[in-house]
Amino acid sequence: MRTAVLRRAEVALAYLSACAIFAMMLLISADVLSRYLLGAPITGAVEFTEEYLMVVAVFLALSWTFKEGGHIRVELVVRLLPARWQDRVYATGNAIAGIVFAVITALAATTAVDVWQEGVTSSSSLAYPMAPTYVVIVVGSFALTFRLLLAAFLAVRTGATEEAER
């Protein structure tokens, strides 16, 4: 039940990430065309792409990418171990990564609250609020934390490393 909710959330976040990539493509293309055809770039296009759209594209897709096996794994030594030990190494690695991302999530949440309360804005001429960027980092990091810890738990409980991701 909980994994079904997580899967749906991951797919929704991945779609938002894809939309951000599409928006980046449109915005940067429009900026280039405006620069060369009209002689004037779109104000804040590069900053908005860097500070909002790239963050959305990267962080919201983290958990889904992990579930699909899209992150880099170095398995050279692990493959030489017996299957029982492979599961333990896999679970330990995911548990450590889960703890690291839990810390990242907590720190990003604290920063998001501070940035929100202080009304921090971008340094661009548009001066848009920066808090949504940190909220996106919190959401993406939390989803990955949950997925990593779930994968570690399932690897210990069932010994299934590949199935733990899906």
Side-chain angles (χ1 to χ4, degrees):
M1 173 71 173
R2 288 186 183 127
T3 57
V5 172
L6 178 60
R7 267 188 256 123
R8 284 190 204 113
E10 286 170 332
V11 168
L13 293 175
Y15 275 120
L16 289 172
S17 175
C19 288
I21 293 169
F22 186 70
M24 279 192 283
M25 179 196 67
L26 291 177
L27 184 57
I28 295 301
S29 296
D31 185 48
V32 169
L33 287 174
S34 176
R35 184 180 309 261
Y36 288 107
L37 296 178
L38 305 174
I42 297 173
T43 305
V46 173
E47 293 85 356
F48 185 76
T49 299
E50 290 173 350
E51 295 173 343
Y52 273 161
L53 296 176
M54 282 188 181
V55 174
V56 170
V58 170
F59 277 90
L60 294 188
L62 285 174
S63 183
W64 181 83
T65 304
F66 175 78
K67 177 183 70 100
E68 294 297 318
H71 290 295
I72 296 171
R73 273 199 250 178
V74 180
E75 297 179 337
L76 183 65
V77 176
V78 176
R79 288 181 184 247
L80 300 175
L81 298 172
R84 216 168 92 208
W85 281 98
Q86 287 180 16
D87 295 338
R88 290 177 182 162
V89 168
Y90 179 84
T92 302
N94 284 336
I96 291 169
I99 292 166
V100 168
F101 269 91
V103 170
I104 290 170
T105 303
L107 292 173
T110 303
T111 304
V113 170
D114 291 344
V115 167
W116 194 285
Q117 289 174 343
E118 294 171 16
V120 175
T121 59
S122 70
S123 58
S124 78
S125 59
L126 297 177
Y128 43 80
M130 292 304 296
T133 299
Y134 290 97
V135 171
V136 167
I137 294 170
V138 171
V139 170
S141 296
F142 178 76
L144 181 59
T145 298
F146 196 84
R147 175 55 73 180
L148 286 164
L149 295 177
L150 177 65
F153 173 75
L154 291 175
V156 168
R157 187 169 153 228
T158 65
T161 56
E162 295 300 321
E163 291 78 24
E165 290 181 6
R166 305 216 188 275

